[in-house]
Amino acid sequence: MRNSGNKVFLALHGFFGGTYRFFDQYFGKEDNGSKNTTPYAKIISLLAGLDVPVDGTVCVAGEDILQKGLNAHRRDNISLVFQNYNLIDYLTPVENVNLGGKADAEELLAQMGIDEAQRKRNVMQLSGGQQQRVAIARALASKAPVLLADEPTGNLDEDTASEIISIFQKLAHEQEKCVVVVTHSRELAGQADVVLRLKKGKIADDTGMGEN
């Protein structure tokens, strides 16, 4: 990241400043076909303020997140969705979503397709797709403008993955969320409005705006 940091951050600046208010997906795969998530997970960590760059700056809406303060940045700007859901396993879906913010948990879960009976169960009694929907609802509870998702469909079957991506598209297109997804899936990348490919820590290709 040391040598390529400024290029990466400059390329990302426009997304967070409002140039793209769409479903934005960062796609990376090494030429040899092996999955190496380190550079891509690093981007999520940097954008979320969980890590700081060696060189350059990370700006959101034109503001350096270090100057704003990392805690304030995470509180005001960022919500996160993880591949492994990161739900509290002894709580219900409603209780998990309540941890994310002050929004109406029941309403958010209903929007994600979690019915009333499912909301009252222990979250570990739900399917993987349902747990990911709960995780998205929890992320939306904070009302942050930027949603970062790290391999959010990696543990899901193809049909469920398509449903989750459809949710992200609606959040971007209808609710004007800036949704940034890191994935190794070419199928998912093909559904994004903007795709950036990473190679050796640098942006190697920008497909621009898609048709979605």
Side-chain angles (χ1 to χ4, degrees), residues 26-38:
Y26 294 83
F27 170 76
K29 194 166 187 177
E30 296 297 328
D31 291 342
N32 62 10
S34 66
K35 293 183 179 181
N36 179 4
T37 60
T38 301

Side-chain angles (χ1 to χ4, degrees), residues 4 6 8 10 29 33-34 41 48 68 77 81 83 95 98 109 115 123-124 135 143 148 168 180 185 187 197 203 211:
S4 59
N6 286 326
V8 171
L10 288 172
K29 194 166 187 177
S34 66
K68 178 181 178 67
N77 297 329
V81 176
Q83 178 177 351
E95 291 168 334
N98 282 335
L109 288 166
D115 65 34
V123 72
M124 300 306 293
K143 299 186 177 180
L148 304 177
F168 285 150
V180 181
S185 168
E187 291 76 18
R197 297 175 187 269
I203 293 178
E211 299 295 329

Side-chain angles (χ1 to χ4, degrees), residues 200-212:
K200 296 180 180 179
K202 297 182 180 181
I203 293 178
D205 180 36
D206 180 355
T207 64
M209 302 301 295
E211 299 295 329
N212 296 314

Side-chain angles (χ1 to χ4, degrees), residues 154-197:
N155 291 333
L156 306 177
D157 61 67
E158 185 175 349
D159 290 340
T160 304
S162 294
E163 293 173 1
I164 295 300
I165 293 303
S166 178
I167 290 172
F168 285 150
Q169 289 174 320
K170 289 180 180 179
L171 291 175
H173 297 157
E174 299 175 11
Q175 297 187 29
E176 295 190 340
K177 295 280 186 181
C178 179
V179 181
V180 181
V181 178
V182 169
T183 184
H184 285 89
S185 168
R186 293 182 182 275
E187 291 76 18
L188 301 189
Q191 299 181 59
D193 295 312
V194 178
V195 180
L196 298 182
R197 297 175 187 269

Side-chain angles (χ1 to χ4, degrees), residues 65 102 122 143 151 198 201 204:
I65 66 172
K102 297 181 179 180
N122 180 284
K143 299 186 177 180
E151 295 281 5
L198 298 182

